[in-house]
Amino acid sequence: MSTLKLTAETESLINNRAVGYSLEAPFYASQEIFDLDVEAIFAKHWLFSTTEAEIAEPGDFVTVDIGPHSVIILRDDDEEVRAFRNVCRHRGSRLLDSPCGSVGNLVCPYHQWTYRTDGSLIHAESQPPSFERDRFGLKPVHVRTVGGLVFICLGEEPPEDFDEVAGNIEPYLTPYDLRHAKVAHQVDLVEEGNWKLVMENNRECHHCDSAHPELITAYFPLFGYTADDVTPRLRPVFERYQAAAEDLGAACAASQFPRDTWYEPDTRITGFRVSHLPLDGEGSSFGPDGKPVCAKLMGSITQARFGDLSMHMQPNSWFHLLSDHAIVFRVLPVSPDKSIVRTTWLVHSDAVEGVDYDVDSLTSVWRTTNDQDRVLVAGTQCGVANPGYEPGPYSLVEDDVEAFANWYIGRLHKYVTS
């Protein structure tokens, strides 16, 4: 049940959303709905937060800020991944301010209460003999790792379907060995737009053909299309896509890589989709015309022309896994009209910068694409804040945007009525 007192207008918006249309303006601009988003979506569902490669060694940590919540994710001395509230149990000081780093123990900067990396309290000065140290360990946060990806859930009772989802997606991730990958580069991009506009922009490629000229030298701008949707202008592209898809199918069969496509973005609590897409041109990676951008292939992948394993997770992430690198994306809300998109590029642990790859070439396409999307999202945020805005209909190739909106409204409705 919501701890927020919602206005009748907000309850009506949730109860009466028009299916097949973009959301009403308050969903993108209202402080009340933003607060509800943090409480009902980000504080109750599994969130992709970081990769195991970013906390490779014992003591390595990252911090994640979500609304009023701050979480420490670290690898403890037994190499287990743990997550804790970033709050000292003494008088509430934040323990770690840095976004990442490495610690031996966690020491509060205020009065030096000290915790092991497993969260247990080992030092609290000037306490009475009756002090029960065991009662004041750090508060844990639910954390799961899946194929090298780290998810947290701030809720007391995380969605129970995550085990099933993890079992479905892990076979696709395992061959890339993200757990032992190397972080080649990471960028945080502040977007002047509500987090849902960022996600909706990602959930369709209807705009790719006109907005992302660098991306579509490798990426077929056909995401969401079926054979019946393809326009005459895109017909030659679709024919190249079909030929490339046959080649990818053969490559997957040769390596016994799973070929099933999962499409459950709005039919379960932990919505997700997995699809393995061929690439255009040389068909290897996100270099110009599909050329590779790293000389070493990921994990146990043996074929350079291995397409793009594309994965979406509700509410805040998407992933592209190529034969020679992986790119993971995370969106976090900042305010009703501002979000942060983190993009992380991973390569094989043995790949050497300047020898097997260079950062500019590795990241060029998606740095450019992200910036182009930043402009599109900012423009849409301005538009939905305009009194002249009213929800418009999704096209035939925006199914995943509708699925995202449907999932989101469904989760809000469940939360406010339970």
Side-chain angles (χ1 to χ4, degrees), residues 33-85:
I33 292 182
F34 176 81
D35 293 341
L36 179 61
D37 285 355
V38 171
E39 182 175 294
I41 302 297
F42 284 87
K44 296 298 181 185
H45 295 84
W46 287 101
L47 307 173
F48 168 66
S49 299
T50 188
T51 63
E52 287 201 71
E54 293 168 74
I55 48 173
E57 302 295 331
D60 288 353
F61 72 87
V62 299
T63 56
V64 181
D65 293 328
I66 307 164
H69 307 275
S70 182
V71 177
I72 301 167
I73 303 172
L74 57 72
R75 191 173 297 278
D76 72 12
D77 293 340
D78 294 324
E79 301 203 4
E80 288 189 31
V81 176
R82 294 179 180 268
F84 303 103
R85 298 279 180 173

Side-chain angles (χ1 to χ4, degrees), residues 182-227:
K182 168 186 173 182
V183 178
H185 197 59
Q186 188 170 76
V187 171
D188 284 342
L189 180 67
V190 176
E191 297 213 18
E192 301 296 332
N194 184 274
W195 69 275
K196 295 185 289 293
L197 290 179
V198 178
M199 295 304 300
E200 290 167 10
N201 179 70
N202 165 260
R203 293 320 196 220
E204 51 92 1
C205 207
H206 193 29
H207 66 281
C208 293
D209 198 22
S210 60
H212 300 315
E214 296 82 4
L215 177 65
I216 64 169
T217 67
Y219 192 84
F220 288 107
L222 299 169
F223 185 82
Y225 284 75
T226 67

Side-chain angles (χ1 to χ4, degrees), residues 16 37 44 62 89 97 158 179-180 268 286 296 383 413:
N16 298 296
D37 285 355
K44 296 298 181 185
V62 299
R89 295 296 308 281
D97 279 327
R179 162 69 179 88
H180 299 103
R268 60 162 63 241
F286 282 133
K296 289 194 180 299
H413 186 268

Side-chain angles (χ1 to χ4, degrees), residues 240-266:
R240 292 203 306 277
Y241 174 88
Q242 288 180 304
E246 282 192 25
D247 293 342
L248 177 59
C252 290
S255 57
Q256 298 184 318
F257 193 88
R259 286 295 290 158
D260 293 331
T261 294
W262 291 91
Y263 190 81
E264 300 184 21
D266 60 345

Side-chain angles (χ1 to χ4, degrees), residues 93-113:
S93 174
R94 178 170 289 211
L95 291 166
L96 297 174
D97 279 327
S98 299
C100 62
S102 187
V103 293
N105 293 309
L106 295 158
V107 182
C108 178
Y110 199 177
H111 302 98
Q112 287 72 56
W113 276 38

Side-chain angles (χ1 to χ4, degrees), residues 49 54 63-65 99-100 185-191 328-332 334 339-345 367 370-371 374:
S49 299
E54 293 168 74
T63 56
V64 181
D65 293 328
C100 62
H185 197 59
Q186 188 170 76
V187 171
D188 284 342
L189 180 67
V190 176
E191 297 213 18
V328 302
F329 301 81
R330 181 194 77 185
V331 180
L332 293 178
V334 176
S339 310
I340 292 183
V341 179
R342 169 166 289 185
T343 306
T344 305
W345 286 263
R367 279 188 293 110
N370 282 354
D371 198 55
R374 178 188 61 78

Side-chain angles (χ1 to χ4, degrees), residues 264-280:
E264 300 184 21
D266 60 345
T267 54
R268 60 162 63 241
I269 300 174
T270 305
F272 78 107
R273 73 165 292 169
V274 178
S275 53
H276 200 168
L277 307 171
L279 293 173
D280 205 351

